Amino acid sequence: MQSELFGKKLKNPIILASGILGMTRPTLETVCENGCGAVIAKSLTIEPRKGHGGPNIVETESGILNAMGYPNPGIEEGLAEFGGWKREEALILSIVGKDANEFAELAKRIEEKKDQLGATAIEAVISCPHTPGYGTMIGQGTPESVSEITKAIKENTSYPVIIKLSPSVPGEVKAALAAQDAGADAINMGNSLGPGMKIDIHRKKPILGFGMGGLSGPPIKPIAIRCVYDIYGAVKIPIIGTGGINSGVDAIEMMMAGAKWVSVGTAVYYRGQKVFADIEREIKVWMDLNGYSKLEEIIGVAHEQI
Amino acid sequence: MNRFELLNPIYTNKVIKVIKENYRVTTVEIDHKLDALPGQFLMVWIPGVGEKPMSIGNNNPLTISVANVGPVSEKIWELKEGEVISYRGPFGNPFSIPKDAKKILCVGGGYGVVPMYFLSKAAKENNIQSTVIIGGRSEKDIVWEKQLFSVCEKVFVTTDDGSKGAKGNVMIELEPIAREYDAIYACGPERMMKAVAELCKKNEVHCQVSAERYMKCGVGVCGSCAIDGKLTCVDGPIFSGAEILKLGEFGKKKREASGRSVDL
């Protein structure tokens, strides 16, 4: 079951997805105690953000829609919140910027505090589907944009850099190649899909405070699987598979598509925080039953020619 | 079972009764018998305005009682009989009464007394006597006193200015009698609840308090309502006194919408 992330040993390949439960250092620690191998903190922007007005999430008949709007205390307070990490589980810091300059600034601010943070990597999110000024709403995710942002971050940090791509932008393979060519150390393939909308027919209005939001949960898994499958065939850097992982067999499927790690978020809604330990156990049971002893034997096997 | 059934649908139902409790607290009775337990809460949605957690004052009819303190509660204040209200829930852990309990004591600060009606009603239905202490700044801040009389053994009132009941805070009435009860419950200002939890610890009385935090998702996903490593929405809002006293932020710090930690 053992995995590793840029030289740090992980007890399993299960990573808490950014934006879930990661608002505070103590909540991240609780998630670690509940069994994940690594955590990705709440995404940080340069200035503090309150996020969108509520409702921030709404359940649909197929997954949940969310529009949080990047609430976060800003890079300075955020690093004070998450820094000083000493646990065996890896901490990945997440950053979001409006453009390459902001990403460069965020990377620099993290680099300045490097010796106090205890983090293992930086994840740059360029794929949020529901926040004006960020992500897919301003066209981040094209190969050109990915390349520019990745370079800007790499020039300002010695941390391994993970680029988080959107499943909603066509051409994931080109974007992933652009990230790799610009020096990215890994791809996180997946984010919520959309944006989508749910209208309350009694009140005759969109429910989310922002009107629309990203779709997550089991319904987006097939798209995430396909994206990871396509990227695995094209890039050499490792992949975090994100989207709809709700069980151990989902994680196995994602790893067969090519993910070295799986990130888990919305499953917390369906199965509670025990989901991390549950998924680990479910992966182990499946591996035992099917005669596998190492994750490496599973990763990418769906690509093997018979 | 329908595979596409929602875990937490949004309900929209008619307001059957509105009671203006005082200059800022309004009680809204809803045409819905909700399968809820004392201590649980609803996420009330006002289209175009927002969504906020509200504790449940009664399950049949479903009742909330809200102080007009922000944009969402202002719209609830303005609700009239016959209009509709939308909400999801119930969410969170309920209060629990120890098996062998015969007498319980509920402490409510201001409109924090609202869930104590629901708890006292449940106690009465199980032949457990409930006593309530209501505390407020002034006489005009004491709400739900009449409703509480219908389900309680005794109702004490304290006010900071002495305009009704004993002058001072709830501890004046609580301290001398705390040991006589099998369990003590508190809902209201955080420092009050902390004092109650500490008193119960000293006297070795079972204690539960109802925590409140800035909340967004209500279902244990976003992490906004954290108190230390616990989430108010799913690990609470009801915490045991022993548990809450271990949380360093309780009674001292809270999180803003951005997640920034500020003094309470």
Side-chain angles (χ1 to χ4, degrees):
Chain A
M1 181 61 74
Q2 223 180 54
S3 182
E4 71 85 41
L5 181 79
F6 306 122
K8 187 168 170 98
K9 274 187 190 166
L10 304 185
K11 65 184 177 227
N12 63 47
I14 305 160
I15 302 177
L16 171 74
S18 182
I20 303 287
L21 295 168
M23 289 290 283
T24 74
R25 164 80 174 266
T27 54
L28 286 176
E29 289 174 341
T30 302
V31 173
C32 289
E33 277 149 25
N34 280 312
C36 64
V39 292
I40 307 177
K42 182 74 192 170
S43 302
L44 299 172
T45 50
I46 290 177
E47 298 296 331
R49 288 174 58 89
K50 285 184 180 176
H52 294 319
N56 295 102
I57 83 160
V58 61
E59 188 187 1
T60 81
E61 294 71 14
S62 51
I64 65 175
L65 287 171
N66 92 84
M68 297 301 296
Y70 285 136
N72 80 92
I75 186 75
E76 193 173 335
E77 291 213 23
L79 294 181
E81 176 79 36
F82 301 126
W85 189 262
K86 291 190 182 75
R87 298 186 65 96
E88 59 166 314
E89 297 86 0
L91 169 69
I92 299 166
L93 294 168
S94 176
I95 54 174
V96 279
K98 290 185 160 131
D99 53 34
N101 288 337
E102 280 201 10
F103 275 108
E105 170 73 16
L106 289 159
K108 207 186 212 170
R109 300 276 284 273
I110 293 173
E111 190 67 19
E112 284 165 8
K113 295 220 163 83
K114 186 168 185 180
D115 53 347
Q116 307 154 33
L117 295 177
T120 299
I122 296 175
E123 175 173 279
V125 187
I126 53 171
S127 44
C128 177
H130 55 253
T131 307
Y134 296 90
T136 59
M137 286 191 80
I138 55 159
Q140 291 176 354
T142 63
E144 299 73 30
S145 166
V146 169
S147 178
E148 189 193 0
I149 289 168
T150 308
K151 275 181 195 152
I153 297 167
K154 286 297 286 185
E155 279 166 11
N156 286 285
T157 187
S158 56
Y159 277 108
V161 173
I162 305 163
I163 300 293
K164 185 168 180 175
L165 298 177
S166 169
S168 314
V169 179
E172 304 85 3
V173 173
K174 280 183 184 163
L177 283 168
Q180 175 177 269
D181 292 346
D185 300 278
I187 300 292
N188 184 346
M189 183 60 247
N191 200 321
S192 58
L193 188 70
M197 179 179 280
K198 180 168 176 170
I199 292 169
D200 186 282
I201 62 168
H202 305 288
R203 309 307 298 265
K204 307 174 191 73
K205 287 219 162 48
I207 296 167
L208 289 171
F210 186 61
M212 55 190 175
L215 183 69
S216 62
I220 74 166
K221 192 187 73 174
I223 293 166
I225 296 281
R226 195 274 305 157
C227 289
V228 168
Y229 185 91
D230 281 355
I231 288 176
Y232 182 81
V235 300
K236 293 186 175 68
I237 53 177
I239 303 164
I240 303 174
T242 300
I245 304 299
N246 207 45
S247 68
V249 292
D250 291 341
I252 298 280
E253 183 182 354
M254 187 59 95
M255 288 188 280
M256 285 186 172
K260 181 175 174 182
W261 311 276
V262 295
S263 85
V264 170
T266 303
V268 173
Y269 176 70
Y270 293 104
R271 300 182 64 183
Q273 280 201 45
K274 67 178 181 48
V275 72
F276 300 101
D278 284 351
I279 290 179
E280 183 189 65
R281 197 187 61 249
E282 290 158 10
I283 293 172
K284 191 171 184 313
V285 167
W286 189 92
M287 287 173 68
D288 289 347
L289 283 173
N290 290 277
Y292 291 96
S293 59
K294 287 184 187 149
L295 296 171
E296 289 72 32
E297 297 163 358
I298 299 169
I299 296 165
V301 293
H303 294 259
E304 281 172 15
Q305 301 295 319
I306 302 161
Chain B
M1 183 185 131
N2 180 352
R3 281 188 58 197
F4 299 109
E5 206 172 320
L6 299 180
L7 299 175
N8 298 297
I10 294 176
Y11 302 103
T12 295
N13 284 303
K14 216 168 240 183
V15 172
I16 49 177
K17 199 169 176 189
V18 172
I19 306 159
K20 292 279 182 270
E21 303 287 352
N22 66 10
Y23 63 102
R24 64 166 192 164
V25 177
T26 188
T27 295
V28 175
E29 290 183 11
I30 302 161
D31 187 17
H32 189 180
K33 184 190 170 195
L34 184 69
D35 196 9
L37 294 166
Q40 291 188 300
F41 66 94
L42 302 176
M43 293 295 285
V44 178
W45 171 46
I46 304 291
V49 180
E51 189 187 44
K52 289 285 171 199
M54 308 274 167
S55 69
I56 298 170
N58 196 359
N59 64 332
N60 184 23
L62 180 61
T63 304
I64 56 171
S65 195
V66 180
N68 182 359
V69 292
V72 171
S73 53
E74 187 183 352
K75 291 291 173 193
I76 295 173
W77 172 263
E78 290 166 3
L79 275 175
K80 292 179 184 68
E81 286 165 18
E83 292 180 337
V84 295
I85 184 166
S86 300
Y87 49 91
R88 55 191 172 102
F91 296 119
N93 287 335
F95 287 116
S96 61
I97 300 176
K99 262 186 192 151
D100 50 355
K102 297 199 171 53
K103 287 169 74 180
I104 64 166
L105 180 59
C106 304
V107 183
Y111 58 100
V113 77
V114 172
M116 297 311 178
Y117 169 82
F118 193 7
L119 177 61
S120 299
K121 190 183 94 164
K124 192 183 179 188
E125 284 163 3
N126 289 289
N127 297 315
I128 297 162
Q129 292 183 357
S130 176
T131 296
V132 172
I133 304 172
I134 318 174
R137 266 168 288 186
S138 187
E139 182 175 11
K140 65 183 194 307
D141 296 297
I142 304 299
V143 296
W144 279 57
E145 192 185 355
K146 259 188 212 162
Q147 292 98 311
L148 285 160
F149 269 120
S150 67
V151 290
C152 289
E153 194 66 14
K154 278 177 248 164
V155 179
F156 295 97
V157 173
T158 68
T159 51
D160 296 345
D161 63 3
S163 53
K164 186 178 173 76
K167 185 176 178 178
N169 64 31
V170 292
M171 301 307 281
I172 288 182
E173 295 288 7
L174 175 62
E175 275 180 325
I177 59 172
R179 294 185 73 99
E180 298 166 20
Y181 292 88
D182 301 313
I184 296 179
Y185 303 89
C187 179
E190 206 153 302
R191 285 198 184 88
M192 177 203 95
M193 292 193 285
K194 197 173 179 190
V196 172
E198 278 164 353
L199 181 75
C200 291
K201 188 183 171 190
K202 204 174 86 186
N203 288 298
E204 294 176 350
V205 183
H206 175 90
C207 172
Q208 287 185 321
V209 305
S210 177
E212 188 177 6
R213 279 293 181 276
Y214 192 93
M215 202 177 276
K216 289 185 178 177
C217 78
V219 289
V221 173
C222 75
S224 300
C225 64
I227 308 178
D228 290 20
K230 298 285 179 185
L231 299 177
T232 305
C233 66
V234 290
D235 299 320
I238 308 306
F239 291 96
S240 75
E243 190 178 15
I244 206 83
L245 290 176
K246 282 183 203 146
L247 303 180
E249 288 179 4
F250 187 75
K252 292 195 186 90
K253 298 268 186 185
K254 62 174 183 175
R255 301 275 175 175
E256 291 183 325
S258 69
R260 212 163 72 95
S261 178
V262 293
D263 289 338
L264 198 69

